[in-house]
Amino acid sequence: QVQLVESGGGLVQPGGSLRLSCAASGSIFRPNVMGWYRQAPGKQRELVATATSEGRVNLADSVKGRFTISRDNAKNTVSLQMNNLKPEDTAVYYCNLMHSSPLGKRDNYWGQGTQVTVSS
């Protein structure tokens, strides 16, 4: 019903930058929340940043001051600008969309994930 496609991951040195992008398609209802989660090997998936269709944003404490989330409602895209990357940022990053159907059923959708590796 909703498909999410991520891009922009890769290998970067500590202190470097990457920009992740996610494009959503299908039956997307508003209001909704789009955002990014990450999962490192042996760790639980954790929230990185979210942005609502009304313009409100939320960032995890670990990335405040370094990451910025932005979205384009007209294009149904969301991006994550990651600056001053640290080795502990290494993880698979997943795009997420949450919305409610007209009948009130809340649905959660995930992208396939994109690898971010921060290493010297």
Side-chain angles (χ1 to χ4, degrees), residues 66-84:
R66 300 188 298 121
F67 292 9
T68 302
I69 187 170
S70 60
R71 62 180 291 168
D72 186 333
N73 289 337
K75 297 180 179 179
N76 288 321
T77 60
V78 63
S79 298
L80 185 69
Q81 179 66 46
M82 304 184 294
N83 298 325
N84 192 24

Side-chain angles (χ1 to χ4, degrees), residues 32-37 47-53 55-60 63 68-71 78-80 96 98:
N32 62 66
V33 182
M34 296 185 70
W36 295 91
Y37 294 71
L47 183 147
V48 178
T50 60
T52 73
S53 50
R56 290 180 287 274
V57 302
N58 180 61
L59 295 172
V63 305
T68 302
I69 187 170
S70 60
R71 62 180 291 168
V78 63
S79 298
L80 185 69
N96 171 264
M98 183 178 69

Side-chain angles (χ1 to χ4, degrees), residues 79-99:
S79 298
L80 185 69
Q81 179 66 46
M82 304 184 294
N83 298 325
N84 192 24
L85 283 160
K86 304 176 180 180
E88 51 262 43
D89 295 318
T90 296
V92 177
Y93 284 69
Y94 296 91
C95 182
N96 171 264
L97 183 149
M98 183 178 69
H99 68 183

Side-chain angles (χ1 to χ4, degrees), residues 13-35:
Q13 294 183 351
S17 298
L18 284 174
R19 184 176 179 88
L20 306 182
S21 297
C22 174
S25 61
S27 299
I28 303 167
F29 298 98
R30 297 175 69 174
N32 62 66
V33 182
M34 296 185 70

